[in-house]
Amino acid sequence: MIVGACDSPQWLSRCNFLRLGEYKLCIAVHKNHPLSSKHMLELEDLYGEKLFMVKRGISTSLDKLHSELENKHPQIQIETTSFYDMEVFNLCDEEEGLMLTLDAWADVHPSFVTIPVNWNQSILYGILYPLTPSDDILEFLDSIKKVIRGRKE
């Protein structure tokens, strides 16, 4: 089992998913970037900037955002990557780019700050577990579900 953001059709065809909540999509910028002092970004703040985000086909939510940005905000230059690793952070830093990120990843890199965007964009997160889970996993998931139900009541 792993906990993470996921709405990938590929992953969800290979495992089960117990939704725990949603992460807000934000923008990470280098601490020296002119936008780094803002407390909230508008889409227009991203005009003329290079935005790193994962390529299409990995996430339904991110695919929709990708299309929206391309169609309604072509002033934002989208640079795609297969996944995020230290090499992508370093490239983003070198090219003074921005990176689409999650609010939960706010402190993942010491040279970047994470800023919310004035939009309604998020991605689900939860527990990914086997299609045929063991009894121990089912027992664990039942405990989690009870906690979730308790929060809603």
Side-chain angles (χ1 to χ4, degrees):
M1 292 186 298
I2 61 171
V3 174
C6 185
D7 67 352
S8 165
Q10 289 179 331
W11 276 84
L12 296 176
S13 70
R14 295 183 176 124
C15 60
N16 286 306
F17 180 74
L18 175 63
R19 179 185 171 175
L20 298 176
E22 293 182 18
Y23 290 132
K24 299 265 188 247
L25 295 178
C26 299
I27 301 294
V29 302
H30 192 277
K31 289 180 178 179
N32 295 331
H33 192 282
L35 294 175
S36 67
S37 62
K38 291 196 161 242
H39 297 287
M40 174 74 73
L41 296 173
E42 300 295 330
L43 279 169
E44 292 77 15
D45 292 326
L46 309 182
Y47 288 7
E49 299 286 349
K50 181 183 288 190
L51 177 64
F52 287 83
M53 60 187 297
V54 294
K55 66 182 180 179
R56 290 180 186 275
I58 293 176
S59 161
T60 304
S61 301
L62 298 183
D63 287 353
K64 285 176 22 182
L65 177 59
H66 205 291
S67 293
E68 182 180 327
L69 293 176
E70 280 184 339
N71 294 327
K72 296 181 181 174
H73 304 279
Q75 304 89 335
I76 301 169
Q77 180 187 347
I78 297 174
E79 182 78 27
T80 59
T81 182
S82 296
F83 53 86
Y84 291 169
D85 61 7
M86 290 310 286
E87 191 173 310
V88 174
F89 275 95
N90 291 337
L91 182 62
C92 186
D93 182 20
E94 288 169 19
E95 297 189 12
E96 298 180 8
L98 312 178
M99 184 179 292
L100 184 70
T101 189
L102 310 175
D103 56 351
W105 295 350
D107 298 318
V108 75
H109 193 286
S111 296
F112 287 81
V113 295
T114 299
I115 307 170
V117 182
N118 188 15
W119 61 18
N120 205 13
Q121 302 288 341
S122 62
I123 189 167
L124 299 178
Y125 76 90
I127 301 172
L128 293 151
Y129 62 97
L131 287 173
T132 54
S134 68
D135 290 341
D136 289 341
I137 290 175
L138 291 173
E139 185 177 331
F140 173 76
L141 293 171
D142 284 341
S143 297
I144 297 294
K145 289 174 185 176
K146 287 176 186 171
V147 170
I148 292 170
R149 279 194 301 272
R151 277 195 246 148
K152 291 180 182 177
E153 295 173 355

PDB file of all heavy atoms in Angstrom, residues 126-151:
ATOM      1  N   GLY A 126      -5.152   9.432  -1.631  1.00  0.00           N
ATOM      2  CA  GLY A 126      -5.688   8.337  -0.833  1.00  0.00           C
ATOM      3  C   GLY A 126      -4.720   7.183  -0.766  1.00  0.00           C
ATOM      4  O   GLY A 126      -3.530   7.330  -1.046  1.00  0.00           O
ATOM      5  N   ILE A 127      -5.252   6.030  -0.401  1.00  0.00           N
ATOM      6  CA  ILE A 127      -4.450   4.821  -0.246  1.00  0.00           C
ATOM      7  C   ILE A 127      -4.652   3.937  -1.469  1.00  0.00           C
ATOM      8  O   ILE A 127      -5.775   3.578  -1.805  1.00  0.00           O
ATOM      9  CB  ILE A 127      -4.864   4.047   1.027  1.00  0.00           C
ATOM     10  CG1 ILE A 127      -4.681   4.925   2.265  1.00  0.00           C
ATOM     11  CG2 ILE A 127      -4.059   2.750   1.152  1.00  0.00           C
ATOM     12  CD1 ILE A 127      -5.240   4.306   3.544  1.00  0.00           C
ATOM     13  N   LEU A 128      -3.560   3.628  -2.125  1.00  0.00           N
ATOM     14  CA  LEU A 128      -3.567   2.664  -3.231  1.00  0.00           C
ATOM     15  C   LEU A 128      -3.232   1.296  -2.641  1.00  0.00           C
ATOM     16  O   LEU A 128      -2.268   1.171  -1.882  1.00  0.00           O
ATOM     17  CB  LEU A 128      -2.533   3.049  -4.279  1.00  0.00           C
ATOM     18  CG  LEU A 128      -2.838   4.347  -5.018  1.00  0.00           C
ATOM     19  CD1 LEU A 128      -1.568   5.021  -5.473  1.00  0.00           C
ATOM     20  CD2 LEU A 128      -3.752   4.066  -6.179  1.00  0.00           C
ATOM     21  N   TYR A 129      -4.051   0.304  -2.978  1.00  0.00           N
ATOM     22  CA  TYR A 129      -3.836  -1.028  -2.422  1.00  0.00           C
ATOM     23  C   TYR A 129      -4.203  -2.080  -3.465  1.00  0.00           C
ATOM     24  O   TYR A 129      -4.870  -1.777  -4.455  1.00  0.00           O
ATOM     25  CB  TYR A 129      -4.608  -1.198  -1.109  1.00  0.00           C
ATOM     26  CG  TYR A 129      -6.105  -1.083  -1.223  1.00  0.00           C
ATOM     27  CD1 TYR A 129      -6.902  -2.215  -1.332  1.00  0.00           C
ATOM     28  CD2 TYR A 129      -6.738   0.168  -1.203  1.00  0.00           C
ATOM     29  CE1 TYR A 129      -8.280  -2.119  -1.422  1.00  0.00           C
ATOM     30  CE2 TYR A 129      -8.115   0.269  -1.299  1.00  0.00           C
ATOM     31  CZ  TYR A 129      -8.880  -0.875  -1.399  1.00  0.00           C
ATOM     32  OH  TYR A 129     -10.245  -0.767  -1.502  1.00  0.00           O
ATOM     33  N   PRO A 130      -3.768  -3.333  -3.259  1.00  0.00           N
ATOM     34  CA  PRO A 130      -3.942  -4.373  -4.281  1.00  0.00           C
ATOM     35  C   PRO A 130      -5.399  -4.614  -4.668  1.00  0.00           C
ATOM     36  O   PRO A 130      -6.317  -4.423  -3.874  1.00  0.00           O
ATOM     37  CB  PRO A 130      -3.361  -5.629  -3.623  1.00  0.00           C
ATOM     38  CG  PRO A 130      -2.489  -5.139  -2.520  1.00  0.00           C
ATOM     39  CD  PRO A 130      -3.057  -3.832  -2.077  1.00  0.00           C
ATOM     40  N   LEU A 131      -5.585  -5.061  -5.913  1.00  0.00           N
ATOM     41  CA  LEU A 131      -6.917  -5.425  -6.378  1.00  0.00           C
ATOM     42  C   LEU A 131      -7.498  -6.583  -5.557  1.00  0.00           C
ATOM     43  O   LEU A 131      -8.706  -6.643  -5.340  1.00  0.00           O
ATOM     44  CB  LEU A 131      -6.878  -5.813  -7.856  1.00  0.00           C
ATOM     45  CG  LEU A 131      -6.693  -4.669  -8.842  1.00  0.00           C
ATOM     46  CD1 LEU A 131      -6.503  -5.200 -10.257  1.00  0.00           C
ATOM     47  CD2 LEU A 131      -7.869  -3.693  -8.786  1.00  0.00           C
ATOM     48  N   THR A 132      -6.644  -7.483  -5.132  1.00  0.00           N
ATOM     49  CA  THR A 132      -7.077  -8.578  -4.247  1.00  0.00           C
ATOM     50  C   THR A 132      -6.306  -8.448  -2.931  1.00  0.00           C
ATOM     51  O   THR A 132      -5.287  -9.103  -2.735  1.00  0.00           O
ATOM     52  CB  THR A 132      -6.837  -9.952  -4.900  1.00  0.00           C
ATOM     53  OG1 THR A 132      -5.471 -10.041  -5.302  1.00  0.00           O
ATOM     54  CG2 THR A 132      -7.730 -10.149  -6.111  1.00  0.00           C
ATOM     55  N   PRO A 133      -6.810  -7.590  -2.034  1.00  0.00           N
ATOM     56  CA  PRO A 133      -6.087  -7.327  -0.788  1.00  0.00           C
ATOM     57  C   PRO A 133      -6.169  -8.497   0.190  1.00  0.00           C
ATOM     58  O   PRO A 133      -7.148  -9.252   0.197  1.00  0.00           O
ATOM     59  CB  PRO A 133      -6.798  -6.098  -0.225  1.00  0.00           C
ATOM     60  CG  PRO A 133      -8.157  -6.123  -0.835  1.00  0.00           C
ATOM     61  CD  PRO A 133      -8.016  -6.786  -2.164  1.00  0.00           C
ATOM     62  N   SER A 134      -5.143  -8.598   1.015  1.00  0.00           N
ATOM     63  CA  SER A 134      -5.118  -9.621   2.072  1.00  0.00           C
ATOM     64  C   SER A 134      -6.106  -9.235   3.174  1.00  0.00           C
ATOM     65  O   SER A 134      -6.585  -8.096   3.235  1.00  0.00           O
ATOM     66  CB  SER A 134      -3.711  -9.729   2.655  1.00  0.00           C
ATOM     67  OG  SER A 134      -3.400  -8.537   3.372  1.00  0.00           O
ATOM     68  N   ASP A 135      -6.384 -10.162   4.066  1.00  0.00           N
ATOM     69  CA  ASP A 135      -7.276  -9.883   5.193  1.00  0.00           C
ATOM     70  C   ASP A 135      -6.713  -8.773   6.083  1.00  0.00           C
ATOM     71  O   ASP A 135      -7.472  -7.946   6.593  1.00  0.00           O
ATOM     72  CB  ASP A 135      -7.509 -11.154   6.023  1.00  0.00           C
ATOM     73  CG  ASP A 135      -8.369 -12.183   5.285  1.00  0.00           C
ATOM     74  OD1 ASP A 135      -9.066 -11.792   4.324  1.00  0.00           O
ATOM     75  OD2 ASP A 135      -8.330 -13.371   5.665  1.00  0.00           O
ATOM     76  N   ASP A 136      -5.394  -8.751   6.258  1.00  0.00           N
ATOM     77  CA  ASP A 136      -4.771  -7.699   7.078  1.00  0.00           C
ATOM     78  C   ASP A 136      -5.000  -6.314   6.472  1.00  0.00           C
ATOM     79  O   ASP A 136      -5.293  -5.352   7.177  1.00  0.00           O
ATOM     80  CB  ASP A 136      -3.268  -7.942   7.229  1.00  0.00           C
ATOM     81  CG  ASP A 136      -2.951  -9.130   8.126  1.00  0.00           C
ATOM     82  OD1 ASP A 136      -3.832  -9.534   8.911  1.00  0.00           O
ATOM     83  OD2 ASP A 136      -1.818  -9.634   8.044  1.00  0.00           O
ATOM     84  N   ILE A 137      -4.864  -6.225   5.159  1.00  0.00           N
ATOM     85  CA  ILE A 137      -5.089  -4.944   4.484  1.00  0.00           C
ATOM     86  C   ILE A 137      -6.549  -4.532   4.610  1.00  0.00           C
ATOM     87  O   ILE A 137      -6.854  -3.373   4.896  1.00  0.00           O
ATOM     88  CB  ILE A 137      -4.643  -5.013   3.009  1.00  0.00           C
ATOM     89  CG1 ILE A 137      -3.114  -5.100   2.930  1.00  0.00           C
ATOM     90  CG2 ILE A 137      -5.153  -3.806   2.220  1.00  0.00           C
ATOM     91  CD1 ILE A 137      -2.559  -5.304   1.537  1.00  0.00           C
ATOM     92  N   LEU A 138      -7.459  -5.474   4.412  1.00  0.00           N
ATOM     93  CA  LEU A 138      -8.887  -5.167   4.553  1.00  0.00           C
ATOM     94  C   LEU A 138      -9.228  -4.692   5.962  1.00  0.00           C
ATOM     95  O   LEU A 138      -9.998  -3.743   6.131  1.00  0.00           O
ATOM     96  CB  LEU A 138      -9.731  -6.382   4.175  1.00  0.00           C
ATOM     97  CG  LEU A 138      -9.723  -6.748   2.688  1.00  0.00           C
ATOM     98  CD1 LEU A 138     -10.448  -8.071   2.469  1.00  0.00           C
ATOM     99  CD2 LEU A 138     -10.337  -5.641   1.859  1.00  0.00           C
ATOM    100  N   GLU A 139      -8.634  -5.308   6.949  1.00  0.00           N
ATOM    101  CA  GLU A 139      -8.855  -4.905   8.346  1.00  0.00           C
ATOM    102  C   GLU A 139      -8.330  -3.484   8.579  1.00  0.00           C
ATOM    103  O   GLU A 139      -8.986  -2.655   9.204  1.00  0.00           O
ATOM    104  CB  GLU A 139      -8.166  -5.895   9.283  1.00  0.00           C
ATOM    105  CG  GLU A 139      -8.440  -5.646  10.748  1.00  0.00           C
ATOM    106  CD  GLU A 139      -7.785  -6.694  11.639  1.00  0.00           C
ATOM    107  OE1 GLU A 139      -7.613  -7.843  11.200  1.00  0.00           O
ATOM    108  OE2 GLU A 139      -7.446  -6.329  12.783  1.00  0.00           O
ATOM    109  N   PHE A 140      -7.142  -3.207   8.060  1.00  0.00           N
ATOM    110  CA  PHE A 140      -6.564  -1.875   8.176  1.00  0.00           C
ATOM    111  C   PHE A 140      -7.458  -0.834   7.497  1.00  0.00           C
ATOM    112  O   PHE A 140      -7.753   0.221   8.061  1.00  0.00           O
ATOM    113  CB  PHE A 140      -5.163  -1.862   7.555  1.00  0.00           C
ATOM    114  CG  PHE A 140      -4.540  -0.502   7.484  1.00  0.00           C
ATOM    115  CD1 PHE A 140      -4.011   0.097   8.614  1.00  0.00           C
ATOM    116  CD2 PHE A 140      -4.491   0.188   6.278  1.00  0.00           C
ATOM    117  CE1 PHE A 140      -3.444   1.362   8.550  1.00  0.00           C
ATOM    118  CE2 PHE A 140      -3.929   1.451   6.206  1.00  0.00           C
ATOM    119  CZ  PHE A 140      -3.398   2.037   7.342  1.00  0.00           C
ATOM    120  N   LEU A 141      -7.918  -1.137   6.290  1.00  0.00           N
ATOM    121  CA  LEU A 141      -8.767  -0.205   5.550  1.00  0.00           C
ATOM    122  C   LEU A 141     -10.098   0.025   6.260  1.00  0.00           C
ATOM    123  O   LEU A 141     -10.612   1.141   6.268  1.00  0.00           O
ATOM    124  CB  LEU A 141      -8.999  -0.708   4.131  1.00  0.00           C
ATOM    125  CG  LEU A 141      -7.756  -0.719   3.234  1.00  0.00           C
ATOM    126  CD1 LEU A 141      -8.045  -1.440   1.933  1.00  0.00           C
ATOM    127  CD2 LEU A 141      -7.233   0.678   2.989  1.00  0.00           C
ATOM    128  N   ASP A 142     -10.649  -1.015   6.880  1.00  0.00           N
ATOM    129  CA  ASP A 142     -11.881  -0.851   7.658  1.00  0.00           C
ATOM    130  C   ASP A 142     -11.665   0.130   8.803  1.00  0.00           C
ATOM    131  O   ASP A 142     -12.538   0.961   9.096  1.00  0.00           O
ATOM    132  CB  ASP A 142     -12.379  -2.195   8.197  1.00  0.00           C
ATOM    133  CG  ASP A 142     -13.053  -3.049   7.137  1.00  0.00           C
ATOM    134  OD1 ASP A 142     -13.465  -2.492   6.090  1.00  0.00           O
ATOM    135  OD2 ASP A 142     -13.163  -4.272   7.352  1.00  0.00           O
ATOM    136  N   SER A 143     -10.509   0.050   9.442  1.00  0.00           N
ATOM    137  CA  SER A 143     -10.191   0.991  10.525  1.00  0.00           C
ATOM    138  C   SER A 143     -10.113   2.423   9.999  1.00  0.00           C
ATOM    139  O   SER A 143     -10.621   3.353  10.629  1.00  0.00           O
ATOM    140  CB  SER A 143      -8.863   0.617  11.190  1.00  0.00           C
ATOM    141  OG  SER A 143      -8.941  -0.649  11.788  1.00  0.00           O
ATOM    142  N   ILE A 144      -9.476   2.587   8.861  1.00  0.00           N
ATOM    143  CA  ILE A 144      -9.370   3.916   8.246  1.00  0.00           C
ATOM    144  C   ILE A 144     -10.756   4.445   7.894  1.00  0.00           C
ATOM    145  O   ILE A 144     -11.081   5.609   8.138  1.00  0.00           O
ATOM    146  CB  ILE A 144      -8.472   3.871   6.982  1.00  0.00           C
ATOM    147  CG1 ILE A 144      -7.047   3.462   7.330  1.00  0.00           C
ATOM    148  CG2 ILE A 144      -8.501   5.200   6.239  1.00  0.00           C
ATOM    149  CD1 ILE A 144      -6.285   4.435   8.185  1.00  0.00           C
ATOM    150  N   LYS A 145     -11.594   3.610   7.318  1.00  0.00           N
ATOM    151  CA  LYS A 145     -12.951   4.021   6.924  1.00  0.00           C
ATOM    152  C   LYS A 145     -13.759   4.469   8.141  1.00  0.00           C
ATOM    153  O   LYS A 145     -14.527   5.425   8.056  1.00  0.00           O
ATOM    154  CB  LYS A 145     -13.665   2.888   6.197  1.00  0.00           C
ATOM    155  CG  LYS A 145     -13.108   2.627   4.811  1.00  0.00           C
ATOM    156  CD  LYS A 145     -13.757   1.395   4.190  1.00  0.00           C
ATOM    157  CE  LYS A 145     -13.110   1.050   2.858  1.00  0.00           C
ATOM    158  NZ  LYS A 145     -13.656  -0.196   2.279  1.00  0.00           N
ATOM    159  N   LYS A 146     -13.574   3.809   9.270  1.00  0.00           N
ATOM    160  CA  LYS A 146     -14.281   4.208  10.501  1.00  0.00           C
ATOM    161  C   LYS A 146     -13.839   5.602  10.942  1.00  0.00           C
ATOM    162  O   LYS A 146     -14.656   6.413  11.368  1.00  0.00           O
ATOM    163  CB  LYS A 146     -14.034   3.190  11.610  1.00  0.00           C
ATOM    164  CG  LYS A 146     -14.773   1.890  11.416  1.00  0.00           C
ATOM    165  CD  LYS A 146     -14.425   0.879  12.498  1.00  0.00           C
ATOM    166  CE  LYS A 146     -15.064  -0.458  12.176  1.00  0.00           C
ATOM    167  NZ  LYS A 146     -14.608  -1.529  13.065  1.00  0.00           N
ATOM    168  N   VAL A 147     -12.565   5.871  10.852  1.00  0.00           N
ATOM    169  CA  VAL A 147     -12.050   7.195  11.213  1.00  0.00           C
ATOM    170  C   VAL A 147     -12.623   8.248  10.279  1.00  0.00           C
ATOM    171  O   VAL A 147     -13.059   9.325  10.713  1.00  0.00           O
ATOM    172  CB  VAL A 147     -10.505   7.211  11.185  1.00  0.00           C
ATOM    173  CG1 VAL A 147      -9.971   8.625  11.312  1.00  0.00           C
ATOM    174  CG2 VAL A 147      -9.943   6.318  12.274  1.00  0.00           C
ATOM    175  N   ILE A 148     -12.653   7.948   8.975  1.00  0.00           N
ATOM    176  CA  ILE A 148     -13.193   8.888   7.989  1.00  0.00           C
ATOM    177  C   ILE A 148     -14.675   9.161   8.279  1.00  0.00           C
ATOM    178  O   ILE A 148     -15.105  10.300   8.270  1.00  0.00           O
ATOM    179  CB  ILE A 148     -12.997   8.348   6.551  1.00  0.00           C
ATOM    180  CG1 ILE A 148     -11.513   8.334   6.193  1.00  0.00           C
ATOM    181  CG2 ILE A 148     -13.778   9.185   5.546  1.00  0.00           C
ATOM    182  CD1 ILE A 148     -11.183   7.600   4.895  1.00  0.00           C
ATOM    183  N   ARG A 149     -15.443   8.114   8.531  1.00  0.00           N
ATOM    184  CA  ARG A 149     -16.863   8.288   8.843  1.00  0.00           C
ATOM    185  C   ARG A 149     -17.040   9.130  10.115  1.00  0.00           C
ATOM    186  O   ARG A 149     -17.922   9.973  10.191  1.00  0.00           O
ATOM    187  CB  ARG A 149     -17.567   6.939   9.005  1.00  0.00           C
ATOM    188  CG  ARG A 149     -17.951   6.301   7.696  1.00  0.00           C
ATOM    189  CD  ARG A 149     -18.936   5.149   7.902  1.00  0.00           C
ATOM    190  NE  ARG A 149     -18.437   4.091   8.753  1.00  0.00           N
ATOM    191  CZ  ARG A 149     -17.732   3.040   8.362  1.00  0.00           C
ATOM    192  NH1 ARG A 149     -17.452   2.897   7.095  1.00  0.00           N
ATOM    193  NH2 ARG A 149     -17.327   2.137   9.215  1.00  0.00           N
ATOM    194  N   GLY A 150     -16.173   8.916  11.086  1.00  0.00           N
ATOM    195  CA  GLY A 150     -16.247   9.678  12.337  1.00  0.00           C
ATOM    196  C   GLY A 150     -16.023  11.159  12.133  1.00  0.00           C
ATOM    197  O   GLY A 150     -16.619  11.992  12.815  1.00  0.00           O
ATOM    198  N   ARG A 151     -15.163  11.523  11.188  1.00  0.00           N
ATOM    199  CA  ARG A 151     -14.919  12.943  10.890  1.00  0.00           C
ATOM    200  C   ARG A 151     -16.106  13.597  10.218  1.00  0.00           C
ATOM    201  O   ARG A 151     -16.305  14.785  10.343  1.00  0.00           O
ATOM    202  CB  ARG A 151     -13.688  13.078   9.973  1.00  0.00           C
ATOM    203  CG  ARG A 151     -12.383  13.047  10.714  1.00  0.00           C
ATOM    204  CD  ARG A 151     -11.281  13.537   9.820  1.00  0.00           C
ATOM    205  NE  ARG A 151     -10.380  12.414   9.569  1.00  0.00           N
ATOM    206  CZ  ARG A 151      -9.704  12.225   8.467  1.00  0.00           C
ATOM    207  NH1 ARG A 151      -9.808  13.056   7.481  1.00  0.00           N
ATOM    208  NH2 ARG A 151      -8.917  11.204   8.329  1.00  0.00           N
TER     209      ARG A 151
END
